[in-house]
Amino acid sequence: EVQVLESGGGWVQPGGSLRLSCAASGFNFSSCAMNWVRQTPGQGLEWVAAVSGSGNSAYYADSVKGLFTISRDNFKNTLSLHLNRLRSEDTAVYYCVKDGSYDYGANSLLGHWGQGTLVTVSS
Amino acid sequence: SYELTQPPSVSVSPGQTASITCSGDKFGDKYIYWYQQKPGQSPVLVIYQDTKRPSGIPERFSGSNPGNIATLTISGTQATDEAHYYCQAWDSGVVFGGGTKLTVL
């Protein structure tokens, strides 16, 4: 059974940093791109970042480019998202999402979502 | 930036057919995906590549994309189908619609 489990959320002051992790199991981790998608409280979904199966290619939404860094460890089957210079508008539930493709692109299929981890940015 | 437009809410009576629409530019060039999100839960993919159903998704869920507007159809709607539904497409990146709250009255 495919499982992705996020951790690392919490409260942080504006300008602070946080590291989210996602532990994956039940599938060939290195064969799948991985994504982070966020959802602000009571609002819709926003794709944040993706990384290819090899980890060699990373992709970011314009709203987080230069602020967030996505990475993966294919030996430990883990995905990470480093959030830097956090702003109040980054407050959201962050979901780790398995892609149905090897690389992020037009064939991306967000097939399996974790339960999410809440990041709250507030003074 | 590319936008997908969904109605904020749709209501349906139990056992009837619910239709949720999603519109955007150049739909004929794009695959549409649909996600169901129940309160307090994570999104679940219910339709991919316009019309395909992942394993485990009931047959009452179907999708269409004739090129100008995409539609998620739920036949014989059940109370358990009450949820938010989001469409998604690719346009230089993953783009989501604003979501539709389906109420089963």
Side-chain angles (χ1 to χ4, degrees):
Chain A
E1 180 190 2
V2 172
Q3 289 192 339
V4 290
L5 183 63
E6 305 92 338
S7 60
W11 173 82
V12 61
Q13 291 186 329
S17 299
L18 209 57
R19 177 176 175 266
L20 306 183
S21 296
C22 172
S25 61
F27 64 98
N28 188 346
F29 185 68
S30 62
S31 295
C32 300
M34 296 294 295
N35 299 262
W36 288 97
V37 176
R38 68 185 179 184
Q39 184 170 34
T40 52
Q43 299 300 317
L45 301 168
E46 180 188 15
W47 174 83
V48 173
V51 62
S52 63
S54 66
N56 290 337
S57 298
Y59 310 85
Y60 299 94
D62 288 343
S63 57
V64 305
K65 200 170 293 182
L67 300 174
F68 293 2
T69 302
I70 189 171
S71 62
R72 64 190 297 160
D73 184 333
N74 285 347
F75 293 104
K76 297 182 178 179
N77 285 6
T78 57
L79 175 72
S80 296
L81 185 68
H82 292 258
L83 293 70
N84 296 313
R85 292 157 51 195
L86 283 160
R87 308 153 296 180
S88 58
E89 54 263 40
D90 296 318
T91 295
V93 173
Y94 286 74
Y95 293 101
C96 169
V97 188
K98 172 186 174 295
D99 202 312
S101 298
Y102 176 76
D103 200 358
Y104 178 69
N107 293 322
S108 282
L109 191 158
L110 306 183
H112 292 87
W113 297 58
Q115 89 291 344
T117 187
L118 175 62
V119 172
T120 303
V121 184
S122 173
S123 54
Chain B
S1 62
Y2 191 76
E3 292 187 358
L4 295 173
T5 301
Q6 299 181 237
S9 62
V10 168
S11 298
V12 65
S13 299
Q16 299 304 303
T17 297
S19 297
I20 300 172
T21 59
C22 176
S23 61
D25 288 340
K26 300 179 182 178
F27 251 32
D29 299 340
K30 305 181 187 302
Y31 279 134
I32 302 300
Y33 302 76
W34 290 94
Y35 301 86
Q36 175 195 67
Q37 186 178 31
K38 296 182 179 181
Q41 298 185 19
S42 305
V44 173
L45 180 69
V46 294
I47 294 291
Y48 67 100
Q49 293 180 356
D50 294 339
T51 61
K52 299 176 182 177
R53 237 183 3 261
S55 62
I57 301 302
E59 291 184 7
R60 64 179 182 273
F61 288 87
S62 63
S64 67
N65 182 16
N68 55 349
I69 190 166
T71 302
L72 173 69
T73 301
I74 309 172
S75 305
T77 307
Q78 300 180 3
T80 54
D81 299 328
E82 188 162 284
H84 279 88
Y85 291 85
Y86 296 90
C87 62
Q88 177 247 306
W90 172 273
D91 186 85
S92 301
V94 167
V95 179
F96 292 99
T100 297
K101 178 175 173 55
L102 177 67
T103 301
V104 182
L105 299 172

